[in-house]
């Protein structure tokens, strides 16, 4: 049985980064930059007004009130035709280029319009409300490094630069649930021994959040031939296959058996709780991650293996979620032979982050998972956590913030 760290290392070592392509900013959300971005020009590209008001000489408005003659009106997207000299002002809108000679903007609220001029009612320091060219980024500045994952603010910066980023392409993931007892989630009345499929909706939502393309292979019953054909087809269509169920020790745990027939199985047990029965292998070169059947185990295994692997495929430098330090609000027992991921809620008391169990810790208890905002990560060898003990939490509602090297190499 592999340790969690060794299993993570093995999965990431076997997953390639996908090919590069250039995309418009509209299509690049969530992907990792394949090459660094350098500013091709200043942002903003010209000195402009930060507010609606009057462009003036700062020396003219050191004291107020003062009356200035009005030269012209400059809306955004237009350029002044005259230069500002002492005793004069140009009405200006937010974002419009600063007129020649002007070095200050008096906000419109501090003025009174006159028929041929403007009365400045408040003294205004020189340089007020002026945004210099290159004040955000100067031409040649490094903007983003290779491996940075593109968020909405990243895309806005790239749009301001007119840059179509080079990224690693979006993975395609085939997913399926297994078992004769599993029925579609929209099923009305359940028969004896039947359950609704929670794993595919859970996986689809996590994959959608990650921004990958999903191929839904549906529910496959305990039929070896159908499962074999489905897995072969999925492996041919996708960059990764995710299954749920069928990887434990039972007679009908077919995923592990068929994976051995069609390709390779690298390992299938990890010293973690939940999600100990986790299978990893390949079908014709396509990685297959065999997740357990219980839904909490599915999410834990996805977070620890599938999500980092997919982020690595997309060329992202940070592939693991952020962690933080907290204190246990109460005591609980854990399995000292495994890394345990307890579902917890966090709260801050007197500046200290405390964690409490979010509810039942069995791997089928989805309600406690929905209430949780973090995993308490309890290392091998712990056995029992006492109230007040320091504890590491993994913030699964927060973006990834740790590289593979930081997590696996110390």
């Amino acid at each position: 049985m592999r340790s969690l760290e060794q299993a993570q290392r093995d999965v990431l070592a076997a997953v390639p980064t996908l090919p590069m392509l250039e995309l418009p900013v509209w299509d690049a959300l969530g992907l990792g930059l394949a090459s660094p971005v350098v500013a091709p020009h200043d942002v903003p590209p010209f000195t402009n007004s930060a507010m609606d008001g009057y462009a003036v000489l700062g020396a003219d408005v050191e004291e107020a009130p003062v009356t200035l003659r009005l030269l012209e009106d400059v809306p955004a997207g237009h350029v002044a035709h005259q230069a500002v000299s002492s005793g004069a002002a140009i009405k200006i809108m937010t974002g419009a280029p600063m007129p020649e000679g002007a070095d200050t903007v008096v906000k419109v609220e501090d003025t009174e319009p006159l028929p041929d001029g403007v009365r400045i009612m408040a003294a205004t320091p020189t340089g007020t409300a002026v945004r210099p060219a290159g004040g955000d980024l100067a031409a040649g500045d490094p903007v983003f490094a290779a491996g940075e994952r593109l968020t909405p603010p990243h895309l806005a910066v790239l749009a301001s630069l007119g840059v179509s980023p080079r990224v690693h392409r979006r993975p395609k993931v085939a997913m399926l649930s297994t078992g004769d007892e599993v029925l579609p989630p929209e099923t009305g009345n359940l028969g004896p021994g039947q359950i609704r499929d929670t794993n595919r909706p859970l996986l689809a939502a996590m994959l959608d959040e990650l921004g990958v393309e999903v191929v839904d292979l549906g529910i496959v019953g305990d039929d070896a031939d159908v499962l074999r054909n489905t897995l072969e087809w999925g492996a041919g269509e996708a960059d990764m296959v995710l299954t749920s169920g069928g990887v434990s020790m039972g007679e009908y745990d077919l995923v592990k058996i068929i994976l051995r027939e069609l390709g390779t199985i690298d390992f299938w047990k990890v010293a973690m709780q939940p999600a100990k029965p986790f299978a990893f292998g390949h079908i014709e070169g396509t990685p297959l991650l065999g997740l357990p059947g219980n839904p909490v185990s599915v999410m834990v295994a996805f977070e620890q293996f599938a999500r980092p692997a997919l982020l690595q495929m997309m060329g992202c430098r940070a592939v693991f979620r952020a962690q933080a330090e907290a204190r246990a609000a109460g005591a609980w027992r854990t399995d000292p032979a495994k890394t345990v991921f307890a579902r917890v809620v966090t709260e801050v008391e007197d500046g200290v982050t405390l964690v409490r169990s979010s509810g039942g810790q069995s791997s089928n208890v989805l309600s406690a998972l929905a209430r949780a905002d973090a995993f308490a990560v309890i290392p091998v060898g712990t056995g029992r956590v006492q109230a007040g003990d320091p504890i590491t939490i993994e913030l699964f509602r927060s973006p990834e913030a740790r590289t593979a090297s930081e997590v696996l190499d110390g």
Side-chain angles (χ1 to χ4, degrees):
M1 185 161 58
R2 274 173 169 75
S3 69
L4 172 65
E5 293 77 11
Q6 187 58 52
Q8 289 172 322
R9 186 175 287 108
D10 290 345
V11 170
L12 291 178
V15 172
T17 302
L18 294 175
M20 296 181 290
L21 70 165
E22 186 176 294
L23 290 177
V25 292
W26 308 100
D27 300 325
L29 179 64
L31 298 177
L33 280 171
S35 56
V37 175
V38 174
H41 57 71
D42 289 345
V43 177
F46 48 85
T47 301
N48 65 91
S49 174
M51 61 179 63
D52 295 345
Y54 291 84
V56 299
L57 292 179
D60 285 344
V61 295
E62 290 176 349
E63 297 179 359
V66 61
T67 299
L68 304 175
R69 70 183 184 279
L70 184 63
L71 300 178
E72 60 179 306
D73 187 343
V74 181
H78 295 264
V79 177
H81 297 96
Q82 302 178 66
V84 173
S85 56
S86 182
I90 290 179
K91 190 174 184 180
I92 193 168
M93 304 300 288
T94 303
M98 285 293 290
E100 183 182 346
D103 58 12
T104 303
V105 175
V106 180
K107 62 183 177 181
V108 70
E109 295 91 333
D110 291 338
T111 66
E112 288 182 359
L114 301 173
D116 296 314
V118 60
R119 188 164 179 80
I120 307 299
M121 304 303 296
T124 305
T126 299
T128 296
V130 176
R131 297 187 292 211
D136 183 359
L137 294 167
D141 278 353
V143 182
F144 301 129
E148 197 147 356
R149 190 176 182 215
L150 296 176
T151 65
H154 287 88
L155 299 183
V157 171
L158 294 174
S160 76
L161 295 167
V163 170
S164 295
R166 285 184 57 77
V167 293
H168 295 275
R169 73 166 175 83
R170 206 173 296 280
K172 182 185 290 187
V173 179
M175 66 170 192
L176 72 149
S177 293
T178 65
D180 284 345
E181 76 280 15
V182 181
L183 298 179
E186 61 272 14
T187 300
N189 296 324
L190 296 174
Q194 295 178 330
I195 58 172
R196 295 183 183 90
D197 183 7
T198 58
N199 291 344
R200 275 168 50 251
L202 176 63
L203 283 172
M206 292 189 293
L207 291 167
D208 184 63
E209 180 185 64
L210 197 53
V212 307
E213 184 179 347
V214 178
V215 179
D216 186 3
L217 302 179
I219 300 168
V220 180
D222 297 321
D223 183 311
D225 290 335
V226 174
L227 183 58
R228 185 180 297 107
N229 291 337
T230 303
L231 289 177
E232 278 190 302
W233 187 87
E237 286 290 309
D239 300 300
M240 177 185 287
V241 178
L242 295 179
T243 66
S244 64
V247 294
S248 193
M249 296 290 291
E251 181 180 349
Y252 292 100
D253 287 321
L254 298 175
V255 171
K256 179 163 53 70
I257 296 169
I258 292 172
L259 182 55
R260 280 202 180 99
E261 291 179 9
L262 296 178
T264 61
I265 181 166
D266 296 355
F267 61 87
W268 68 277
K269 285 197 291 186
V270 181
M272 61 188 293
Q273 184 183 19
K276 172 187 169 184
F278 167 80
F280 177 68
H282 292 80
I283 297 176
E284 297 181 356
T286 301
L288 183 145
L289 280 66
L291 312 180
N294 282 313
V296 178
S297 300
V298 166
M299 180 167 175
V300 171
F302 182 91
E303 286 288 321
Q304 299 308 310
F305 300 109
R307 182 182 173 86
L310 289 166
L311 286 168
Q312 180 171 286
M313 282 180 149
M314 290 190 282
C316 300
R317 184 174 62 252
V319 297
F320 287 98
R321 298 276 197 183
Q323 289 190 337
E325 295 305 312
R327 296 273 175 180
W332 67 84
R333 290 190 177 277
T334 70
D335 186 340
K338 299 170 185 171
T339 302
V340 176
F341 292 87
R343 280 72 72 198
V344 296
V345 291
T346 63
E347 57 186 52
V348 178
E349 293 183 5
D350 298 325
V352 177
T353 301
L354 299 177
V355 296
R356 293 181 171 85
S357 170
S358 63
Q361 295 294 305
S362 296
S363 59
N364 66 313
V365 182
L366 274 170
S367 58
L369 181 62
R371 283 191 292 269
D373 52 18
F375 295 131
V377 185
I378 304 165
V380 170
T382 302
R384 183 171 179 82
V385 176
Q386 302 286 357
D389 281 354
I391 198 162
T392 298
I393 56 174
E394 188 164 301
L395 304 167
F396 61 73
R397 298 189 192 276
S398 298
E400 60 286 341
R402 299 176 298 144
T403 67
S405 177
E406 289 170 337
V407 172
L408 302 177
D409 299 332

